[in-house]
Amino acid sequence: MNYLTYLLAGIRNKAGRNLATAFCFAFIAANIFSGQYLTSGAGGSVDQGVSRMGADHLVVPAQYQVFSRGFGPENTFAVVRAEPSTYRIRADIMATVGSVQGVMKMSPQLYVATLREPALSPSPVEIYGIDPATDFTIQPWLQHPLSTPMSPGEVIVGHEIKGDISSQISLSSHTYTVAGRLDPTQSPIDRTIFLRMDDAYALAATEGIVPSSDPRVSYGDINAVLLQGDPGEGSDLVAARIRRAFSPTYITVISRHFSLDPALQEIKDLPRLLTYISLIVVVAALPLISLIAAMVAHERQREIGLIRSMGAKRHVIISLVFAESLILAATGGIFGVGVSLIAFTLISTQIIDSSALHVSFALPTVADIGMMAGVALLVVITLGSISSIYPAYQSSTISPYDAIRKNG
Amino acid sequence: MIEGIGVTKVFRHGRSDVVAVDDVHLNVIPGEFVLIYGRSGSGKSTLLGMLGGLINPTSGVIRVNGLDIGNLSDAMISEVRAKEIGFVFQFSGHIPTVTVLENVMLPMLFYRDGPGSLSRAVELIRRVGLSDRADAYPCTLSSGEMKRVAIARALINSPPILIADEPTGDLDIDTEYEIMQLFQQLNSEGMTFVMVTHNLDLVPFGTRTYRMDRGKMMEIPRPLPGVTMTKEPNTHLDHDAGTAMNEL
Ligand SMILES: Nc1ncnc2c1ncn2[C@@H]1O[C@H](COP(=O)(O)OP(=O)(O)OP(=O)(O)O)[C@@H](O)[C@H]1O
Ligand SMILES: [Mg+2]
């Protein structure tokens, strides 16, 4: 017989009521935990999702559409990389494109070739040239930001390409240093090596890289200009302005036919909404839990009087009432967090799969989850403590004899 | 051992006051067996509650081992309750959530290095005749059985003083006899008793007897009027309690 077994016996005795109380704590903990979980997921994805959403428009050679598999009005994937194509345009169109009203960002991409490089990847490797200074679609996918801007001879590699940061990889007679690695995208980007534009031209000029059946890559050739429009300007309007500036037989503008903006707004509002809900739950639960704690203490008066008569000191009574509350809060809290976590684990694959960008929901790390669970538990335990302050104090002050007499 | 000087307790009942205990003087010396009887409502339980440090007197002083228990801190009065006094309540002296054995051992929580032990608990349960109910929960016991649990519990820490409010009230004659035998043995070993009873047949067990009437307490000279004493008052202190009981 010790205090714990005594307490647990008391809790067991009113199993139904105590289960209900613990469930109440579980609900609060689950609410707070879920709120944080979704907020952090959404919050991470707002930052990451926006930066990884890629381009709004692609300026490509007029013939390009033939090759743009699946890039129709219904497509929802992020335009991060232009499709491999041997139709090219000249980079000097960027001066004109850049001057079009509503164009915020633009960056060229050049598809060089697709190579068999078993040392780097079992699947064929696609080689692209990018302009690191203006690139806004590839580098957001870096696992870690580059420590210094990409210098000549440095490459960024997709997730499936072998080669750690700072290691050397060879393509034909050229050797490059891996400056950065990308997160997985479940797309051909995972099997792509991105070179600086000048390195790309140098590689393209090397014998055996570009098949002799294909048009040669001349200096200044590019496959596409990736654009990001001013959100204030209508997307179609910007595309129309660019088209108007060129001959329709030379270039065409492909626009992403989905806009994440309204959804994005919702995602941005989500954290605040969840915080409010959690707050309301906590505020609503406090009087309820206090009431239960007071009820328990009241119905225990006789028992408390009895153990007071046996010599239980006031602080022992206070501790017992507190401890009971804490046991219920902790049990409920752990249960609530556990159930939420299991639920999230089960549905997280769906969340990710269903998201347009495959990135709009970022799963929190284990450390983050630990933190969130800690916060949720802390809140319910604090709640349990606060709600039992008064009952604990009151229980400790009742006259032992009166308590026994009144409730005998 | 326990000393009461001018002990008075007034309860407020709406506008009128009830003087439950009225200027009681009492000096219980170690090894005594004090019996108190009196009509219902005469203040016996209230007096015991005050002597046990469970009710604060309205006026007067109560000393336990010379310590004025009216002026003690919570820690100190708790210590007196835990170490000095075993208390058997008139009603409902059990915790419903734990077994008989655990009920009996409960006071050990509050007197850690006291003489209480599992073996002592088992022995006391045997002595009050509940060996086969040790693992039962109180709600399954009869009121007489519950009373016996309360007695065993009050004795677990071998308190120097046992204050018992009609401890044999719900018991049949045989069980009452066994309990009184136990009390008498403990008394002969030095435990001091203050006990309320309605059974005047128990008077010979007492070294002193008081009667309460509307809060006033007076000592009854021996032999008690109307009660035939077949035994010298103090001889029951001898170790063979069985003989004493048989002679009643
Ligand atoms: N907490 C209380 N509040 C108000 N009045 C009380 C309280 N306790 C006792 N009384 C009153 O004090 C008087 C004495 O009560 P007490 O319980 O001491 O009597 P008793 O002699 O033990 O009676 P019984 O033999 O029936 O147990 C009664 O009139 C009772 O109503
Ligand atoms: Mg009484």
Side-chain angles (χ1 to χ4, degrees):
Chain A
M1 187 81 181
N2 54 39
Y3 285 119
L4 189 65
T5 52
Y6 171 63
L7 264 175
L8 292 180
I11 290 174
R12 254 203 321 275
N13 185 50
K14 293 278 181 191
R17 204 246 330 273
N18 286 312
L19 266 179
T21 312
F23 188 78
C24 200
F25 283 118
F27 180 73
I28 298 168
N31 197 283
I32 292 167
F33 180 75
S34 311
Q36 292 179 92
Y37 192 98
L38 292 173
T39 303
S40 88
S45 72
V46 170
D47 293 346
Q48 211 170 43
V50 169
S51 64
R52 288 183 169 185
M53 245 164 25
D56 300 330
H57 309 279
L58 281 178
V59 179
V60 292
Q63 307 93 322
Y64 182 93
Q65 261 170 322
V66 182
F67 295 91
S68 62
R69 298 177 301 267
F71 197 85
E74 68 288 341
N75 88 67
T76 54
F77 60 75
V79 184
V80 172
R81 198 203 67 176
E83 290 289 288
S85 157
T86 53
Y87 293 102
R88 302 189 188 98
I89 43 179
R90 298 293 299 166
D92 53 26
I93 64 158
M94 288 171 65
T96 314
V97 173
S99 64
V100 168
Q101 190 190 344
V103 172
M104 271 200 345
K105 288 180 184 171
M106 83 185 160
S107 186
Q109 283 189 2
L110 169 69
Y111 163 72
V112 179
T114 301
L115 306 176
R116 299 215 153 267
E117 295 286 349
L120 298 178
S121 162
S123 336
V125 175
E126 297 179 354
I127 313 291
Y128 273 72
I130 57 169
D131 173 17
T134 57
D135 164 58
F136 62 96
T137 60
I138 304 298
Q139 291 175 75
W141 286 86
L142 282 167
Q143 282 176 345
H144 309 286
L146 300 181
S147 44
T148 54
M150 236 173 131
S151 46
E154 286 189 331
V155 295
I156 291 172
V157 299
H159 196 72
E160 285 175 26
I161 306 287
K162 295 193 189 74
D164 294 332
I165 305 258
S166 305
S167 68
Q168 308 275 312
I169 61 171
S170 301
L171 294 171
S172 177
S173 54
H174 301 261
T175 309
Y176 303 94
T177 307
V178 177
R181 300 187 55 82
L182 302 180
D183 273 337
T185 61
Q186 327 293 345
S187 77
I189 296 170
D190 292 351
R191 301 182 292 275
T192 307
I193 299 176
F194 295 94
L195 280 57
R196 285 169 53 104
M197 225 24 125
D198 39 4
D199 285 337
Y201 291 126
L203 182 65
T206 309
E207 198 63 39
I209 295 292
V210 178
S212 48
S213 54
D214 286 352
R216 287 175 43 88
V217 178
S218 338
Y219 189 87
D221 278 353
I222 56 175
N223 281 85
V225 181
L226 285 76
L227 296 182
Q228 203 168 60
D230 183 339
E233 300 273 345
S235 168
D236 291 343
L237 191 63
V238 175
R241 284 183 193 141
I242 298 169
R243 274 192 207 98
R244 209 181 306 134
F246 296 97
S247 152
T249 55
Y250 182 45
I251 64 116
T252 187
V253 181
I254 303 173
S255 299
R256 183 168 60 193
H257 284 268
F258 75 105
S259 161
L260 271 190
D261 287 11
L264 207 60
Q265 200 50 48
E266 276 166 31
I267 293 174
K268 275 179 176 160
D269 285 344
L270 191 65
R272 204 173 346 135
L273 188 70
L274 289 170
T275 311
Y276 283 147
I277 292 175
S278 300
L279 207 70
I280 290 168
V281 167
V282 169
V283 168
L286 189 60
L288 190 72
I289 294 172
S290 306
L291 192 75
I292 296 173
M295 224 169 73
V296 173
H298 181 78
E299 112 197 344
R300 288 273 178 79
Q301 272 197 25
R302 197 186 63 80
E303 189 173 329
I304 290 167
L306 205 56
I307 62 174
R308 285 281 279 160
S309 79
M310 297 175 200
K313 296 187 175 81
R314 195 167 286 167
H315 73 83
V316 170
I317 305 295
I318 293 179
S319 312
L320 284 173
V321 175
F322 255 106
E324 176 163 347
S325 211
L326 292 191
I327 289 174
L328 293 180
T331 319
I334 289 169
F335 179 76
V337 168
V339 167
S340 312
L341 195 57
I342 291 169
F344 282 130
T345 310
L346 290 181
I347 63 169
S348 63
T349 35
Q350 269 102 316
I351 297 181
I352 293 173
D353 284 352
S354 69
S355 68
L357 297 173
H358 297 273
V359 287
S360 68
F361 192 88
L363 287 183
T365 63
V366 174
D368 284 345
I369 290 173
M371 267 282 292
M372 296 170 196
V375 169
L377 284 179
L378 197 74
V379 171
V380 287
I381 284 173
T382 310
L383 212 59
S385 312
I386 291 174
S387 63
S388 56
I389 288 176
Y390 180 69
Y393 168 76
Q394 214 203 9
S395 304
S396 79
T397 56
I398 54 177
S399 140
Y401 205 89
D402 283 349
I404 294 163
R405 202 182 172 93
K406 268 184 211 148
N407 300 276
Chain B
M1 189 111 246
I2 302 188
E3 196 184 1
I5 305 158
V7 177
T8 300
K9 182 70 189 180
V10 182
F11 290 111
R12 288 215 77 100
H13 270 291
R15 255 180 245 150
S16 63
D17 287 345
V18 174
V19 184
V21 175
D22 191 359
D23 193 29
V24 165
H25 292 261
L26 176 74
N27 189 6
V28 183
I29 54 175
E32 260 197 308
F33 200 125
V34 172
L35 281 172
I36 301 170
Y37 71 94
R39 296 181 61 162
S40 178
S42 57
K44 306 180 296 295
S45 295
T46 307
L47 177 65
L48 290 198
M50 290 192 285
L51 296 179
L54 303 175
I55 300 175
N56 286 327
T58 311
S59 64
V61 174
I62 293 160
R63 292 205 184 93
V64 174
N65 293 334
L67 217 58
D68 179 352
I69 59 172
N71 289 327
L72 295 183
S73 66
D74 174 67
M76 285 176 80
I77 186 72
S78 297
E79 204 141 298
V80 170
R81 289 172 189 154
K83 297 182 179 172
E84 302 296 330
I85 299 167
F87 205 104
V88 180
F89 290 93
Q90 184 175 2
F91 305 108
S92 63
H94 62 272
I95 304 287
T97 55
V98 296
T99 64
V100 165
L101 180 66
E102 288 167 331
N103 259 283
V104 170
M105 292 174 73
L106 200 58
M108 290 161 54
L109 281 182
F110 315 115
Y111 185 11
R112 293 225 161 260
D113 39 8
S117 66
L118 175 63
S119 57
R120 185 172 163 81
V122 171
E123 170 61 11
L124 281 168
I125 289 172
R126 191 186 67 75
R127 288 298 295 272
V128 298
L130 289 175
S131 289
D132 50 341
R133 307 306 307 274
D135 294 324
Y137 282 88
C139 58
T140 67
L141 302 182
S142 74
S143 64
E145 288 170 327
M146 284 187 195
K147 194 46 109 15
R148 286 182 275 159
V149 173
I151 291 167
R153 198 206 57 229
L155 292 171
I156 184 72
N157 283 333
S158 295
I161 306 162
L162 186 81
I163 298 180
D165 197 345
E166 296 188 39
T168 61
D170 298 318
L171 303 181
D172 62 281
I173 290 179
D174 288 338
T175 317
E176 179 174 47
Y177 163 77
E178 280 158 23
I179 296 294
M180 289 312 293
Q181 212 181 15
L182 171 65
F183 281 2
Q184 210 169 25
Q185 189 198 333
L186 292 167
N187 182 228
S188 71
E189 288 165 6
M191 193 180 286
T192 305
F193 282 74
V194 180
M195 179 174 144
V196 164
T197 182
H198 279 298
N199 184 358
L200 292 185
D201 288 344
L202 300 182
V203 164
F205 286 94
T207 53
R208 253 194 299 173
T209 307
Y210 291 91
R211 191 169 84 91
M212 281 201 82
D213 186 14
R214 279 167 288 173
K216 293 278 187 196
M217 193 169 78
M218 60 223 80
E219 188 169 352
I220 304 300
R222 298 169 167 275
L224 206 62
V227 176
T228 327
M229 300 287 295
T230 55
K231 201 171 177 314
E232 281 303 303
N234 274 328
T235 51
H236 67 269
L237 277 176
D238 69 33
H239 291 247
D240 190 2
T243 359
M245 286 297 290
N246 287 336
E247 288 169 13
L248 271 173

